[in-house]
């Protein structure tokens, strides 16, 4: 705790001095800069005609930072030898694993308050080189995208930057994760982009897959938790996820994820009700008609199929799940809300569950 306290104190002084000297194309771990700004800047470059991306992924960057090169960069900015000794001490303090302290001859301390600033100092060398060459690029921490106008040009840039990183910074490019391709085929900070002259931000397929995996875990039918408990835990995740991915420009995807999440909850509740008699009684209690409740309760279909049935959509409606505290990932615009109010006044209500 004392080490972290001192690192934070050093950070507050050095960051104020160093940050103004960093590249305008760098957005990671910097005051008043965010991942959303980086994604928006990438979108601008694609829209301007730079429709080939050189996606560079550094292999285990935080574990492979060369201490001598890094300390040389620090020494150019810090004259006080006591501070230099302190920073070197943080870098070489070692790592505790299985009760034993292992030496750290390269890399920056994972989770250390000072590590993000030191990583930006290291990669600012690459930023300045890209600026000198006149490239359009966006960097967030060790994730760097360079935008060019042709495939051949992108391949030349990739080869050139790989040589520079190897010789100047002793860093290695992960060739399996790096590529020269159309932006629509790559992801950047969890987002992708649609094709066309006016690209839109969309959620990358990998990000959607991680979302579904996490929701499956939280709504697992054998967790032994009540619906209220599941919704409470799930909503914490949904609110945080929406705070980041709500920045996308494809609201239909968010609505589909909401529909799928509600269906997961209905399937979980159906399993909790277990017996046909219990299911019938619960459906009736929720206002489902006798015939419809009997048909659903006696159905041989599995929970996932029945989660999309009219009976369950009525018993566990959108409104009832919302009243239990279920959050959504969709962020409706003011126009959509206004249109919905108009439809409600004209037709006396809105449609049912859009499963």
């Amino acid at each position: 705790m004392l080490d972290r306290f001192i690192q934070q104190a050093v950070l507050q002084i050095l960051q104020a001095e160093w940050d103004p000297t960093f590249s305008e194309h760098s957005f990671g771990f910097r005051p008043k800069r965010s991942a959303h700004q980086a994604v928006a800047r990438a979108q601008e470059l694609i829209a301007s005609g730079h429709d080939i991306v050189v996606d560079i992924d550094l292999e285990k960057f935080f574990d492979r930072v060369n201490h001598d090169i890094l300390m040389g960069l620090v020494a150019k900015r810090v004259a006080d030898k006591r501070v230099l000794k302190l920073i070197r001490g943080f870098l070489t303090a070692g790592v505790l694993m299985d009760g034993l302290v292992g030496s750290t001859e390269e890399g920056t301390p994972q989770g250390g308050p000072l590590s993000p600033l030191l990583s930006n100092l290291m990669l600012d060398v690459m930023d300045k080189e890209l600026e000198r060459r006149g490239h359009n690029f966006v960097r967030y921490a060790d994730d760097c995208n360079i935008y060019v106008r042709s495939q051949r040009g992108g391949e030349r840039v990739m080869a050139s930057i790989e040589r520079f990183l190897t010789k100047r910074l002793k860093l290695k490019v992960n060739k399996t994760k790096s590529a020269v391709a159309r932006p629509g085929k790559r992801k950047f900070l969890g987002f992708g982009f649609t094709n066309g002259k006016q690209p839109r931000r969309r959620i990358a397929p990998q990000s959607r897959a991680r979302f579904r995996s996490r929701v499956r875990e939280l709504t697992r039918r054998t967790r032994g938790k009540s619906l209220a408990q599941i919704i409470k835990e799930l909503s914490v995740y949904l609110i945080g996820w929406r705070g980041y991915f709500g920045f996308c420009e494809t609201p239909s995807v968010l609505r589909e994820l909401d529909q799928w999440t509600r269906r997961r909850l209905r399937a979980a509740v159906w399993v909790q009700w277990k017996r046909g008699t219990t299911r019938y009684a619960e459906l009736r209690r929720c206002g489902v008609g006798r015939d419809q409740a009997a048909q659903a309760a006696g159905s041989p279909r599995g929970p996932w199929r029945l989660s999309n049935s009219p009976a369950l959509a009525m018993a566990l409606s959108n409104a009832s799940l919302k009243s239990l505290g279920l959050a959504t990932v969709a962020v409706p615009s003011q126009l959509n809300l206004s249109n919905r109010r108009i439809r409600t006044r004209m037709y006396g209500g809105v449609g049912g569950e859009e499963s």
Side-chain angles (χ1 to χ4, degrees):
M1 290 299 296
L2 181 59
D3 281 353
R4 293 181 64 84
F5 177 81
I6 296 173
Q7 281 195 51
Q8 183 64 36
V10 174
L11 171 69
Q12 290 176 198
I13 298 299
L14 296 184
Q15 189 167 55
E17 295 181 2
W18 295 1
D19 192 77
T21 69
F22 290 157
S23 170
E24 286 297 311
H25 304 277
S26 166
F27 293 87
F29 309 125
R30 297 182 62 186
K32 299 180 180 180
R33 287 174 173 256
S34 68
H36 286 173
Q37 292 175 337
V39 173
R41 178 55 183 156
Q43 185 180 13
E44 291 174 4
L45 292 173
I46 297 168
S48 68
H50 298 81
D51 53 358
I52 295 293
V53 60
V54 182
D55 187 355
I56 298 175
D57 183 273
L58 298 177
E59 189 172 292
K60 297 181 180 179
F61 168 72
F62 291 97
D63 295 331
R64 293 189 172 178
V65 170
N66 185 284
H67 288 176
D68 292 335
I69 294 176
L70 177 57
M71 289 307 302
L73 295 171
V74 174
K76 291 180 180 178
R77 296 170 179 255
V78 177
D80 193 325
K81 293 184 178 180
R82 295 171 300 174
V83 177
L84 294 175
K85 184 178 179 181
L86 186 64
I87 294 175
R88 172 73 78 165
F90 286 133
L91 293 174
T92 59
V95 179
L96 184 65
M97 293 182 66
D98 300 325
L100 299 174
V101 177
S103 61
T104 48
E105 298 177 356
E106 60 181 4
T108 57
Q110 292 289 342
L114 201 55
S115 294
L117 180 64
L118 295 176
S119 67
N120 271 333
L121 177 64
M122 186 80 161
L123 291 177
D124 188 60
V125 176
M126 179 180 71
D127 294 343
K128 294 299 193 292
E129 177 65 16
L130 292 173
E131 288 178 350
R132 187 185 68 81
R133 299 182 185 187
H135 290 309
N136 293 288
F137 70 97
V138 182
R139 182 178 67 79
Y140 190 94
D142 60 334
D143 197 347
C144 183
N145 279 6
I146 306 169
Y147 294 90
V148 297
R149 295 182 184 273
S150 70
Q151 182 73 23
R152 289 184 64 186
E155 291 170 357
R156 287 196 299 269
V157 170
M158 174 67 85
S160 176
I161 293 302
E162 185 177 354
R163 287 195 300 270
F164 174 82
L165 289 170
T166 302
K167 292 181 179 180
R168 177 69 178 85
L169 299 179
K170 307 298 182 186
L171 295 173
K172 187 177 180 181
V173 173
N174 188 331
K175 294 185 178 181
T176 59
K177 294 184 178 180
S178 302
V180 179
R182 295 279 182 182
K185 296 182 178 180
R186 306 295 296 176
K187 68 178 180 69
F188 182 53
L189 302 178
F191 290 91
F193 301 96
T194 60
N195 297 317
K197 294 183 179 180
Q198 295 298 326
R200 291 183 300 157
R201 298 184 296 272
R202 63 182 180 88
I203 303 171
Q206 299 93 323
S207 301
R208 296 201 300 271
R210 283 194 295 270
F211 172 87
R212 289 177 181 268
S213 176
R214 180 58 177 156
V215 172
R216 284 192 186 97
E217 181 182 340
L218 292 171
T219 59
R220 198 170 62 248
R221 301 164 194 169
T222 56
R223 292 190 71 198
K225 293 192 174 185
S226 68
L227 179 61
Q229 290 174 317
I230 293 173
I231 286 178
K232 185 177 180 181
E233 293 179 12
L234 178 62
S235 292
V236 172
Y237 175 72
L238 296 179
I239 291 170
W241 196 88
R242 181 182 65 199
Y244 185 76
F245 287 103
F247 187 60
C248 76
E249 294 176 318
T250 50
S252 62
V253 174
L254 299 178
R255 290 195 295 270
E256 288 170 6
L257 292 175
D258 273 335
Q259 294 162 15
W260 178 81
T261 300
R262 288 191 290 263
R263 192 173 172 184
R264 285 285 308 179
L265 287 171
R266 293 185 182 111
V269 171
W270 191 249
V271 171
Q272 289 180 358
W273 287 346
K274 293 183 180 179
R275 297 181 181 85
T277 54
T278 304
R279 289 168 175 173
Y280 176 80
E282 290 291 345
L283 289 173
R284 291 289 292 139
R285 186 180 64 81
C286 294
V288 180
R290 290 182 180 179
D291 293 342
Q292 203 172 40
Q295 184 180 4
S299 174
R301 292 177 177 176
W304 182 246
R305 289 286 298 276
L306 283 168
S307 66
N308 205 26
S309 67
L312 268 176
M314 183 183 297
L316 297 171
S317 64
N318 294 4
S320 65
L321 292 174
K322 183 179 179 181
S323 68
L324 290 172
L326 179 64
T328 63
V329 295
V331 186
S333 66
Q334 291 299 320
L335 178 61
N336 288 339
L337 290 173
S338 176
N339 289 340
R340 191 178 305 168
R341 295 189 189 101
I342 292 171
R343 290 196 300 272
T344 303
R345 288 197 297 269
M346 291 177 64
Y347 304 112
V350 294
E353 168 65 5
E354 60 288 323
S355 296

